[in-house]
Amino acid sequence: MPSDDKLLLDYALSTDPAPVPISTAQVTSRVRVNISPSTSAQVYCDEIKIAVPVGSGPLSLFSSAPDGSVNTNTWAETTGAAQNGSDLWPGLDPDQDYVPLTFSCDVSDSLIDYNLVFGVFGAVNETVGDVRIMIRESSRTDSTDPFTPKQGSLWLRKAYPDFYLKNLVATTPDAPTVPSTDFPNGARIRLAWESNGTYFQLFMAGGTTPIYSGTETTCTLEDGVPRDSTFVLAASMTGSPGQDTSQGGYQPIYLYDSLTVSVSDPDLTPTSVTVSDTLDVTGTSTLGTTNTGALTSAGATVSGALQAGSLATGGTLNVSGSATVGQATVTGELSVQGGSTLNGATVNGTLNGTGSASLNNLTVSGLSASSGPVALLGTGVMLAQDTSIPQAGVEAHTDGFALAQVLIPSDVSKSSFAYGLINTVGTWFQVQGGTVGSFGSAWSDVMAFNPNAITVPIQAGTQWWYTAGNCNGNQQDSPIQIWWFPMGSNPSGEQTFRILSSEELADAPPPPATPSFNAFVAREEQVAAAAADFVDRLAEALEARLADGTRADLARLLHQL
């Protein structure tokens, strides 16, 4: 859409989704607005401010403050607090609140001759209407001229949402923005889609029972798939179909989408296998007993898990995963890296096990085992430290503990009230600290340090969130630290956690209202009242008539002592 002629730069606006749907009581519509300034002439610009109307009315876009972003690190973004239009810029609607997003150029050469895009992301309110986004740029056409402000606007319309289902995509959990259609056997697969439906069912080819049912628009298959598979997604604007008690021929309305993924090393299920020499398996192998036996070979190497009704090998058997065998005879060495269940085993060589083992009947002519202390707790990692920590998310790869610690300010005589928040299992847990004060006529004035910490257990495979900050009324802010203490380590040797991307934070739970604090407002009022009482008593004792102005001056001077 065109911008006003007063601006030197041209501004192009795009939205996702388009058109912009309003939120409903059932579904919150989150919309991304991208604004791209460009020009064919020579224009220098060191700052661009975007004022986004917020509120619940038809002229407001978002119901609360949005998030700002930019496509290059040569510009920095700062989001301000919501303000009335008359208090923000000249010419803005005095009956409308705006959130200002300020984008500042960090390089000395501010010539706009490259691709530049500003992003705004937030939750749309529930009212249809036309929205005016205000833009104020600081620009010039000559590098020797001073920068001067210029103002314009862009328009977009909010409309009633249509029922939609689109963009069913498969990714790895570690790279949720990179689509993929080919995965290793058993690798985790993250499926995501876009819809304003309220209930979803995900089916896999060959099955009649959904592998996922719920209201979220993502799901992760922790065990992946063993072979090429097609997924069919059904979306509806109702709840679970199994809860319906239809009347008068009622039928729910569904939208469908499908996606096929391939597996680079799929499981195969042959009717029989005959091995005359060594059997090498790079993936998981499930071998059932046949008329000639489950597996008979000179030796075997299984990189994944092994399941067999019976096993006989005259050489070495190496299993890097778990092993479940009904009856096993191993003439050479048996080496199992994972957990093992052997209902009957005869090992004439050495038995080496680095994982757990369940052995109902075992005969071993040579046994090697290691012993020593067992460490359950891994090395702690400090994820963040500052006086203000924006909300972030973490995916736990192991069980562990999240810790938020509020430290004391460098000067413990100063008032300081800080807080740390951790969210898991849908609940925010909070710790507060800094310093603590006591003021009053009955007690002496006291200001003491007050550090505090909170530890929250986290389950492996789940996501948790944290944020922290200081209250506005502090004399000096306190630092806050966020820690992660894993239980053990990731079996694959990977990091025990992963920081969620900014896209994944779109579904993060909103933090509770932050506490407010100003310990000295009441104290100042108390001291001022005491000073005024002293002047009154002094005038009475001296039998002096003091003018109101003189009384006020004496009270003020006494208050300053």
Side-chain angles (χ1 to χ4, degrees), residues 2-42:
S3 59
D4 292 358
D5 293 334
K6 295 180 181 180
L7 297 168
L8 294 182
L9 295 171
D10 296 321
Y11 292 82
L13 182 146
S14 60
T15 66
D16 182 28
V20 174
I22 63 172
S23 296
T24 65
Q26 294 78 24
V27 178
T28 298
S29 175
R30 298 185 181 275
V31 172
R32 184 174 300 279
V33 179
N34 283 353
I35 299 173
S36 175
S38 62
T39 180
S40 59
Q42 178 174 280

Side-chain angles (χ1 to χ4, degrees), residues 434-500:
T435 56
V436 60
S438 172
F439 312 101
S441 58
W443 296 341
S444 61
D445 295 347
V446 174
M447 181 64 72
F449 62 87
N450 182 36
N452 279 306
I454 186 173
T455 303
V456 180
I458 304 296
Q459 186 179 17
T462 64
Q463 294 178 347
W464 58 280
W465 294 265
Y466 63 82
T467 185
N470 278 261
C471 296
N472 292 333
N474 289 348
Q475 287 184 309
Q476 186 172 30
D477 288 342
S478 292
I480 310 105
Q481 295 179 346
I482 305 296
W483 289 81
W484 165 246
F485 291 93
M487 295 291 291
S489 62
N490 194 322
S492 64
E494 300 173 358
Q495 201 171 29
T496 60
F497 68 95
R498 179 181 65 86
I499 301 297
L500 300 183

Side-chain angles (χ1 to χ4, degrees), residues 195-227:
S195 177
N196 59 350
T198 59
Y199 195 79
F200 307 97
Q201 293 178 297
L202 185 66
F203 298 86
M204 191 164 65
T208 58
T209 301
I211 60 175
Y212 168 78
S213 297
T215 59
E216 301 296 327
T217 56
T218 64
C219 77
T220 299
L221 306 182
E222 296 294 338
D223 298 325
V225 291
R227 62 183 64 88

Side-chain angles (χ1 to χ4, degrees), residues 382-389 405 407 466 479-483:
M382 186 168 66
L383 303 182
Q385 175 177 262
D386 209 333
T387 56
S388 178
I389 300 176
Q405 179 176 225
L407 304 175
Y466 63 82
I480 310 105
Q481 295 179 346
I482 305 296
W483 289 81

